[in-house]
Every structure is written in structure tokens, then in C-alpha cells.
Amino acid sequence: MVHRKLSLLLSIFLLALPVFGQQQSPSKPKPRVIVVGVNGMELDIIRPLLLKGQMPNLSKVIEKGAYGKLRTVSAPNCPRVYSTLFTSTNPEEHGVTGFIVGGITANTNMLKEEPFWSMLSKSGITVGMANVPATFPVMPVNGYMISGMLTRGKNCEDGVLCAPKLSEVMGGDAVYPKTMQAELLKNVGDFYIDCERMPAAGDLKGHETELIDKWLGKVQVIRDQQSKLFDYLLTEHPTEFTFLAQSCEDRTGHWLYPITPFNVGYNSSINSVRQDAFPHQYVAFDKVLGPILKHVDENTYLIIFSDHGIKPLREFEEKDPHAHMDHEKTTPVIAKHDFADGDDVPGSFFAMGPGIKHDLRLMGLGASVYDVAPTLLHIYGIEQPKQMRGRILTEIFENADNKIAAKQ
Ligand SMILES: [Zn+2]
């Protein structure tokens, strides 16, 4: 209901856009922001890579900006956290409490609170989004939207943790506006929308090395396709606000986290095969970040965040009969993030741009997923709506002389 109301409002607004556009003064460009979501980026894994110089692009962002842990919600998983980040309201308020809600795969029709990109669109800011989890079916924006994790399609009928191709999407639109789909198929190809499903313990048995390598190969194919898509969109369809997301990193961590024999669930035939598989995901992510950085000039804000981290199984997990299983309860999972205590698996936050402090490390868990939307609205000079529970992350901005910070 609320979603329909939002869509209707937005449709009315979009009809009025040309007039709106004409009223804009060309001398006052709006801020440009690129947000990159990395699923389950775990600081414990990336810190050694940063120290070894294996993530040169992220290191550059850290040097030029502010970074730290990002407090997440309890029992964090992608749809639950992303929807919290979209709306700055808690899961019970926005309605997307997990992968499955009331027996149905989470979808945008369930979203009961207005997401920030709808607010940006209404304010005349151009919005582009690609592969962001929990954005299926796509919603109308002042620009384009390509859905991400939880998109339903052939061989991925329930949409949970599987990879449909763009041409195989079912049960809703994966691209807004619809006309953009043919253009993407022609210029980017028939790309996978989400990451590959994890293999089952039964399939792995006796074929561990072969299956692990095959799975990792597919992950890299998906990442390459995503990277091509992101570069195409940033080049051919630049928007004032752009939101891109990656999801394969987290999936790898669940069953290939580099644990040692004393960790729960350790199976030498799986966990000693490619111990660098999970760290390597971030080295590969850093290579995706490179081409994105080419689109970031000194007037562009770049925000990279992770919705949660991921850690080896916790003590209380031993009592859970499904502790080593994924959402389908078939994969030999050795690391997770949906622990009752979300503070065990904080996400991460990196920001750089005009007026953002350099080389600032945010200590503790002062910044939270609730704060991202208010901070983004603030950058565009849009007042934080009452329902939003987060705060503007004023500590990352230079000083009161800065126009952005002065609005506080
Ligand atoms: Zn996630």
C-alpha cells in the first residue's frame, strides 16, 4: 500500500520533471555522490591486505578520507540491513525483516518507509542504482535502477541467494526504465544479477578442489560482468547520485573463510584447499574499485560501506543444529553474520570528498547503518525527515567553514 502510494507520488513527480529541470540554475551544480556497497566486508580480513599493499585503491580512499566500523542491526543480513540503510528506520518499521517475510521472499512492495533515493528523486537529483540488494522489483526513480540480490528468475525461482541472468528475470522488472533493458543487453551483455548459489555438502564430497575452483571461477565471471556494467553506467549514464553494490565477497566468506583447525566446522578437505579464496575476494574488489575511482574527481563524494562483517561461528552457534548450514541448510558454513549480537560483526564505512576530513579513523561503533541516509541527504542539503532514526555523521566533515558542515 505505502509502496504504491510512494510509486504514485514519484510518478506524478516524474511527469513534472521537465518543468523542474528548466527551473534549475545551471550555475549551481548539485553535489555528485557515488556509493559502493560491498556485502559483508570484514575489517579483520582486509586489514592485513591493506598492510601488505594488496588493496591500493582502497588505501587511497582511506588516506584521502574518513573510515571506520559501521554499527549494524541485530541478526544482520543483506535485505534487513540494506532496507534499514535505505530508510534509517528499524526492520520492524520498514518491514523487510529478513530474506523471507511472512513466507514470501523480501521485495520492494514490502517496504513501508520511504527510501532515501525516492527523497533524492523528488528533490530533482538524478539517481542511478545497480545491483543493490533488496531493490526488486525496481522502483521508479529520477534516473535508472537495476535490481540486485533477491531478484527472481529462471533457476532462481525464489530469488534467494542465486544468480538469474538479466534475460531470465521473472515476477517483476529488474530494470527501470524498462526501455533500458534492451540497451544493457546490447552493450553490456546478458549479465548475472546476483552471485552464484553456494554448493551443497553432498555435491562437494570427494570433488572439493574441483568444485571450489569452479565456483570461484564463476564468481570472477560475475564480478567481471558487474565491473563492466558499472563502468558502462558511470560513463554512459552519469547521475548526480549513483549507488552500486557487490555481493559475491560475502558468499565466499560463509564457506571459505580462512579458519584454522580449532574453529568450529573446520573440514580440512574444504578449508585447507584455497585458504586465500576469501582474502582474494577483496583483492579482486579493489580491482573493481580502480575503474570506479576514474569517475571520482575532486568534486565527487565517494562512500564505500559494508552492511555487516562476517566472523567464524560463535560459541552459541554450536547449539544450533543448522549452525553449519546456509539459508537452504545444505552448505557447510563456517562463518556467519546473522548473530543475535550485531556488534560482533560490524560493517565498515569509508568516505572521501569535498570537505571530508583526510586520514580520519572513526573509533568505536559511533557510526551506524542508520546514519548513512541522513548523511547523504545532508550532502544534498535535504532536511532529515522525522522518521529517520540516524544522525548526520558531522565528525567526518572538515569544519564550520565548509558549506556542508555549516548547515548543521
Ligand atoms: Zn549482507
Side-chain angles (χ1 to χ4, degrees), residues 163-319:
K165 281 182 178 171
L166 179 58
S167 68
E168 298 173 342
V169 170
M170 308 184 313
D173 287 338
V175 180
Y176 176 89
K178 260 186 173 176
T179 48
M180 198 181 187
Q181 177 147 339
E183 179 201 326
L184 293 173
L185 286 169
K186 183 170 169 249
N187 297 307
V188 185
D190 196 8
F191 54 86
Y192 288 103
I193 287 185
D194 188 17
C195 193
E196 181 75 342
R197 201 186 286 264
M198 292 176 283
D203 297 334
L204 278 162
K205 212 166 177 163
H207 309 277
E208 288 86 354
T209 307
E210 180 198 336
L211 271 184
I212 289 170
D213 286 346
K214 196 175 152 204
W215 191 87
L216 290 171
K218 177 88 177 279
V219 162
Q220 190 54 43
V221 167
I222 293 169
R223 180 180 285 110
D224 289 342
Q225 289 179 348
Q226 258 190 335
S227 198
K228 187 177 173 189
L229 172 68
F230 294 169
D231 197 53
Y232 178 80
L233 293 169
L234 289 167
T235 307
E236 301 299 326
H237 296 276
T239 48
E240 284 147 349
F241 174 77
T242 313
F243 190 174
L244 311 168
Q246 288 231 295
S247 67
C248 286
E249 293 82 4
D250 171 78
R251 212 73 58 85
T252 309
H254 278 285
W255 67 292
L256 298 174
Y257 197 102
I259 61 168
T260 48
F262 55 80
N263 284 104
V264 176
Y266 183 82
N267 174 345
S268 65
S269 61
I270 296 172
N271 305 122
S272 66
V273 176
R274 297 283 179 255
Q275 282 189 312
D276 61 347
F278 188 41
H280 181 78
Q281 294 298 305
Y282 296 109
V283 176
F285 163 68
D286 199 74
K287 294 192 174 110
V288 175
L289 188 56
I292 294 174
L293 280 175
K294 290 197 182 109
H295 298 274
V296 178
D297 61 18
E298 55 189 18
N299 296 313
T300 305
Y301 293 87
L302 175 68
I303 292 172
I304 301 167
F305 78 92
S306 172
D307 49 343
H308 51 74
I310 184 165
K311 290 280 202 300
L313 297 176
R314 292 326 205 200
E315 64 281 9
F316 47 85
E317 292 292 315
E318 275 182 280
K319 295 180 193 108

Side-chain angles (χ1 to χ4, degrees), residues 83-116:
S83 302
T84 301
L85 185 132
F86 297 161
T87 61
S88 189
T89 61
N90 68 41
E92 286 65 39
E93 289 165 332
H94 60 65
V96 183
T97 50
F99 281 95
I100 308 287
V101 183
I104 302 167
T105 302
N107 60 70
T108 49
N109 294 308
M110 292 174 178
L111 203 55
K112 290 187 285 190
E113 296 287 348
E114 186 175 6
F116 71 80

Side-chain angles (χ1 to χ4, degrees), residues 3-18:
H3 168 60
R4 265 191 217 132
K5 238 190 284 167
L6 289 179
S7 304
L8 187 70
L9 272 175
L10 199 54
S11 312
I12 294 166
F13 152 76
L14 288 172
L15 285 173
L17 254 192

